[in-house]
Amino acid sequence: MLAASPDVFMMGGDIAGNLEDFNWTLRQFANLPALKVMVPGNHDIWIESKRALLTGLDSGGKYNVHLPKIAEANGFVMLHDRPVAVGEIAIAGCMGWYDYSYRNADLDTTATLTDYARGVWTNPRTGQPHMWNDMQNVWWLKDLHEPAQGLSRAGLCRSDAEITASMATALRAQLAEAVEGGAERVIVVTHFVPSRQLLVYGGTPQDYWNAYHGATTIEAAITGCALVTHAFFGHLHHDTDIKNGKIRYISRPVGYIDSGPITAADRLHVLDV
């Protein structure tokens, strides 16, 4: 990695589910002489137990307070509230989220919006149940001061639509700041998939999971900025490098910790932009 001498090093999220491991991972790049930027993924804001909520730690607190502090302490910029500049290029980003706008509407008779909000769906053809684990592990509270014990997640937490709207608003503000600041080009980094056209809809259970892969409002923020030339993202577990219109979409996932030996040389993607 050091031999590549990159100007910018980017991480697209899903780094670690707890703060200690998140900190350890970023610390491994302490000697990398580059601008280091990152966005968290949905796994990074998971809450390990309801007990954490009673101590004032929720998913929103992790995203807005704890993760940015850990990133800064390790020489990273967490993209969530401001863009950064590298010469004439601005880099903007956010984690992103989902509001089920990427769903396959053909499934609406068996997977309602209520089902998506619960994160539970039973495939009518096979009888196999499917569960989206964010609905058990993401606790983005409406109010940290409300008592957490004995109340439902739906009653305590912001909806996926509300989280998505806040992400889209933050990204639009960053893109506007980049344009007003005189950037000639903009690179966007998100965790969630930045374009519906990067997903495959083939009448399989994957069509159900697509609902949790991104949102049209965030996609519109990206495509609506004429200066965006590249969009880097995570979340999907396969390599992507596709140009659609003026934007090149790139993902280079590392893989799971138990998927075998992985080296930086295997997965590092060096790109000249």
Side-chain angles (χ1 to χ4, degrees):
M1 184 183 297
L2 291 176
S5 300
D7 297 304
V8 182
F9 176 68
M10 295 184 292
M11 296 178 72
D14 277 358
I15 295 165
N18 63 71
L19 297 176
E20 293 77 13
D21 289 345
F22 189 91
N23 180 62
W24 180 90
T25 303
L26 296 192
R27 194 167 64 240
Q28 305 314 301
F29 301 93
N31 295 324
L32 180 64
L35 170 64
K36 294 173 283 192
V37 301
M38 53 79 57
V39 295
N42 50 316
H43 289 272
D44 299 320
I45 64 167
W46 278 13
I47 300 300
E48 295 180 85
S49 73
K50 261 191 172 182
R51 189 172 295 107
L53 302 178
L54 301 177
T55 67
L57 179 64
D58 76 323
S59 296
K62 289 185 78 172
Y63 185 77
N64 290 308
V65 179
H66 296 278
L67 298 183
K69 284 184 177 179
I70 292 173
E72 183 178 9
N74 287 283
F76 278 79
V77 175
M78 180 176 135
L79 297 169
H80 72 298
D81 62 356
R82 61 184 177 88
V84 294
V86 185
E88 77 282 359
I89 298 175
I91 306 174
C94 65
M95 175 174 61
W97 204 249
Y98 43 81
D99 57 5
Y100 327 136
S101 54
Y102 279 6
R103 74 188 188 278
N104 183 349
D106 290 343
L107 297 180
D108 282 359
T109 56
T110 60
T112 67
L113 293 180
T114 299
D115 293 328
Y116 285 117
R118 291 175 53 242
V120 177
W121 175 65
T122 299
N123 187 324
R125 289 188 298 178
T126 65
Q128 181 181 3
H130 299 276
M131 177 178 289
W132 185 250
N133 287 329
D134 281 355
M135 305 318 180
Q136 307 299 318
N137 298 299
V138 173
W139 289 76
W140 198 305
L141 299 185
K142 299 174 184 176
D143 187 344
L144 267 175
H145 302 292
E146 288 290 326
Q149 273 184 319
L151 298 178
S152 70
R153 180 180 181 276
L156 285 169
C157 294
R158 299 173 73 192
S159 69
D160 292 319
E162 290 171 325
I163 297 172
T164 299
S166 67
M167 294 288 170
T169 297
L171 183 57
R172 284 194 298 267
Q174 290 183 54
L175 293 171
E177 184 177 338
V179 172
E180 293 166 4
E184 295 181 11
R185 290 183 290 158
V186 177
I187 293 171
V188 172
V189 186
T190 63
H191 174 68
F192 285 91
V193 182
S195 172
R196 182 186 178 101
Q197 294 187 37
L198 300 174
L199 302 175
V200 175
Y201 295 83
T204 71
Q206 179 59 45
D207 290 3
Y208 169 72
W209 303 124
N210 285 346
Y212 302 108
H213 286 344
T216 55
T217 52
I218 295 172
E219 178 177 350
I222 295 170
T223 58
C225 178
L227 299 183
V228 175
T229 58
H230 294 75
F232 293 87
F233 65 100
H235 201 55
L236 297 185
H237 297 174
H238 56 78
D239 292 356
T240 303
D241 191 338
I242 296 172
K243 189 166 185 181
N244 185 12
K246 64 185 177 63
I247 301 176
R248 185 175 174 184
Y249 298 92
I250 299 172
S251 178
R252 186 73 166 171
V254 172
Y256 289 109
I257 195 169
D258 58 356
S259 59
I262 299 171
T263 68
D266 293 329
R267 306 306 302 157
L268 181 65
H269 189 67
V270 181
L271 179 68
D272 185 1
V273 298

